[in-house]
Amino acid sequence: MTGRGGVVVGARWRRLWQTVAVGGLGLSLYAGWLTIDDVRDRAASERDIAAACDHLISGAQVMNLQGGMVRAQSDGYDEYRLDARHLPSACTLYKVTGAHRTSDLLRLIVESSDGDQPVNMTGRQGSPFLTTTDGHEYKRDVTAIADRMPEPWPLGDGTLGSYTNTSTTIRAECGPGSGAAAPKLLNVTAVARYQNVSAGDRERLARIARAATQKLTRRIDCKAQLPALPAQLAELPVKLRPVASATGSCRWAGRLVKEQGQGRLPDRALAVPVRDVAPVEGCLLAVGPHQVRDISDGLDFDQRDYAESALTSSPWWLRTVSYVGAEAQSVANEEVGAGEDVRLRPGTAGGRNGTWWASSTCDGKPALHTLTVDHLYDDILGPRALDSLFRAYVDDITTRRGCTHVTFPDAKDFHTL
C-alpha cells in the first residue's frame, strides 16, 4: 500500500508540475506576444509622429516623454500636421491611454520671418494670468502667479532661444551663405500639453526643439550657428515678487517706484536674467490686491468698477519686451477683430491698441522696445504716467546695451487706446 500510495502521490506531483510548466509556457508565450505587439505599436507610433511633424523630430524622443509610452498618435486632420514648406505650421500629438482614449502630449510649432505671420506678436490677448481655479471660481489673488503665460528665460546667453517650464523655443538666424529660400529667422517651439512637466521632460523638450531646428536648417540650406543646450534647465519662478526688490530685466521698475513713489504704478514684478546679447528680453509687472484697493480710493466714481474687476476677471498688468536684430524685423501688434495684425517697423515709434513701441540701434542692429498694458489699467495710469513709465524702461535698456538713435512715440500717442 505504501509503495502504491507513493506512486500515486508521485504521479500527482508530476501532473501538477506539468500543468504549471505548460501554464508557464503559455504565459511566457502570451507575454512574448504582448511584447512583440507593443514593439509593433510603438514602432508604428514613431512612424506616425515623424510623418505628422514632417520628419523634423524623432518619434522615439517624443515617446520618452511622461516616463515613456507604448502608443501615441497624431491628429488625423491635415491642419494639425506640419508642412515646413508653408510656415507657420505645427503638428499636434497625443498619448494613447486606452481604447479610443487619448490625452494631450506635444505640439511642435515652426515659424519663419518670411512666413504669412510675424514671429513675434504683442498685444493684450496674451494675458499672463489665469483668473479662475480648477473649480471655476475666481482666485483670491489673481496676479500672485503668472500661471498662463510666464516670462520665457534665455537659454544660455539667449542667442539659442528661450524656455519656460512647459516649452522650449529654439531660434536660428540664417547667415551669409544661406540658400535663396532660407529666411532671416526661424523659431521652432516644442510645447508640452500636459501638467506637471518634470525636469527630465523639460530637457527632452529642449532636445526635441533643437534637433528639429538642425534638421530644418539643413533641409532649407540655412547657415545658422546653434549653440549647445545648457546642461540643465532649472524650474523657473512664476511667482511675482515686490517690485521694490526687482532684479534683472525689471530692475528699472523698482528704481522708478523709488524715484516717483508707488502711486498707481505696479507693485509686483516677474523678471528674467539680463543677457545683453539676448535678442529678446521681457519684464512682467502687475498690481496686487492691496495696491488695487489703495488705488481704488483715489479713483473717479465711474472708474471704481475697474478696481472691482481687477480683483477677479480683469487683473491689471503690463509687459515690456525688446526685440533686437532679426527678431525686430518680424514683430506685429495683434488686434482682435481688426482683420489683420499691425506690423511694427524698426525705425518707427507709436502707439496702437494698448501697445506702444520705440526704436533704436543696438550694436549696429535694429531694435524695437514695446510696452503692452491691460485694457483697463492704461486708463487707470493715464497718458502722462504711461509716457513716463515707458521712457524709464527704454532709457534703461538702451543705456545698458549702448543703443543709439532712440526714437520715442509722441506724447499724443499715449492718448491712443
Side-chain angles (χ1 to χ4, degrees):
M1 292 293 294
T2 303
R4 185 177 178 182
V7 171
V8 171
V9 171
R12 288 175 178 173
W13 274 108
R14 282 193 297 274
R15 284 196 297 272
L16 177 61
W17 281 111
Q18 287 171 352
T19 301
V20 171
V22 171
L25 178 61
L27 288 173
S28 297
L29 291 173
Y30 179 66
W33 178 80
L34 286 179
T35 301
I36 293 172
D37 193 47
D38 287 349
V39 168
R40 288 174 176 169
D41 284 347
R42 182 179 172 96
S45 296
E46 290 178 4
R47 290 193 297 270
D48 183 34
I49 289 169
C53 298
D54 206 358
H55 300 279
L56 293 179
I57 61 177
S58 160
Q61 283 184 311
V62 172
M63 296 186 70
N64 285 332
L65 294 168
Q66 284 194 296
M69 62 197 71
V70 173
R71 300 172 186 85
Q73 67 182 46
S74 65
D75 198 301
Y77 297 100
D78 288 343
E79 59 262 36
Y80 296 106
R81 298 174 75 86
L82 196 153
D83 185 349
R85 297 169 301 176
H86 306 288
L87 300 180
S89 188
C91 54
T92 305
L93 306 173
Y94 301 88
K95 178 180 180 178
V96 178
T97 58
H100 307 295
R101 294 199 306 272
T102 61
S103 61
D104 287 347
L105 181 61
L106 179 77
R107 187 165 172 81
L108 186 76
I109 306 165
V110 181
E111 300 167 293
S112 160
S113 59
D114 288 358
D116 295 334
Q117 299 175 10
V119 171
N120 299 302
M121 300 295 298
T122 67
R124 291 167 166 168
Q125 291 70 47
S127 172
F129 304 106
L130 294 175
T131 57
T132 58
T133 65
D134 291 340
H136 305 293
E137 297 178 351
Y138 284 122
K139 293 181 178 179
R140 296 182 61 183
D141 189 343
V142 179
T143 60
I145 298 174
D147 47 5
R148 181 176 179 269
M149 193 177 293
E151 297 307 285
W153 278 41
L155 285 167
D157 66 3
T159 55
L160 178 62
S162 60
Y163 78 103
T164 69
N165 288 330
T166 59
S167 68
T168 295
T169 296
I170 300 295
R171 59 185 304 278
E173 290 193 43
C174 302
S178 298
K184 292 181 179 179
L185 177 68
L186 285 170
N187 271 9
V188 179
T189 303
V191 183
R193 292 166 59 86
Y194 52 90
Q195 297 181 341
N196 302 318
V197 178
S198 67
D201 276 3
R202 280 197 298 274
E203 294 169 9
R204 291 183 184 93
L205 290 171
R207 290 195 292 270
I208 288 170
R210 191 179 186 280
T213 307
Q214 282 185 311
K215 288 182 180 179
L216 183 56
T217 54
R218 291 169 184 163
R219 186 185 299 180
I220 64 174
D221 195 20
C222 166
K223 306 299 183 184
Q225 297 294 324
L226 298 182
L229 288 165
Q232 291 182 324
L233 299 182
E235 185 174 3
L236 302 182
V238 294
K239 182 178 180 180
L240 277 71
R241 302 293 182 182
V243 73
S245 58
T247 60
S249 61
C250 294
R251 189 186 302 274
W252 64 273
R255 287 199 298 264
L256 181 65
V257 168
K258 291 176 182 177
E259 293 170 0
Q260 297 187 3
Q262 185 65 64
R264 297 182 180 182
L265 294 174
D267 63 331
R268 291 177 168 178
L270 181 59
V272 301
V274 168
R275 304 285 189 264
D276 285 348
V277 296
V280 181
E281 178 183 300
C283 165
L284 172 64
L285 302 172
V287 184
H290 293 296
Q291 172 71 347
V292 169
R293 294 187 182 98
D294 287 345
I295 293 173
S296 177
D297 292 338
L299 293 179
D300 297 334
F301 179 78
D302 60 351
Q303 291 181 317
R304 294 288 175 87
D305 288 343
Y306 294 178
E308 289 297 322
S309 63
L311 298 172
T312 54
S313 59
S314 298
W316 293 344
W317 59 272
L318 62 86
R319 174 177 266 137
T320 62
V321 187
S322 284
Y323 307 95
V324 181
E327 301 283 352
Q329 305 284 2
S330 188
V331 183
N333 178 233
E334 185 178 14
E335 294 194 50
V336 174
E340 63 180 38
D341 304 317
V342 178
R343 291 271 185 160
L344 308 187
R345 306 291 183 184
T348 69
R352 187 182 181 99
N353 195 41
T355 293
W356 291 266
W357 70 96
S359 295
S360 72
T361 301
C362 303
D363 194 25
K365 300 176 182 178
L368 284 171
H369 313 284
T370 69
L371 166 70
T372 297
V373 186
D374 166 66
H375 74 289
L376 296 181
Y377 190 39
D378 61 3
D379 193 29
I380 298 298
L381 285 171
R384 292 182 62 184
L386 282 169
D387 189 354
S388 175
L389 186 149
F390 188 47
R391 283 180 178 274
Y393 164 64
V394 176
D395 284 343
D396 176 81
I397 192 168
T398 54
T399 299
R400 172 161 50 85
R401 292 200 177 201
C403 306
T404 59
H405 302 90
V406 183
T407 303
F408 283 99
D410 294 332
K412 63 179 176 59
D413 289 323
F414 290 93
H415 291 271
T416 302
L417 299 180

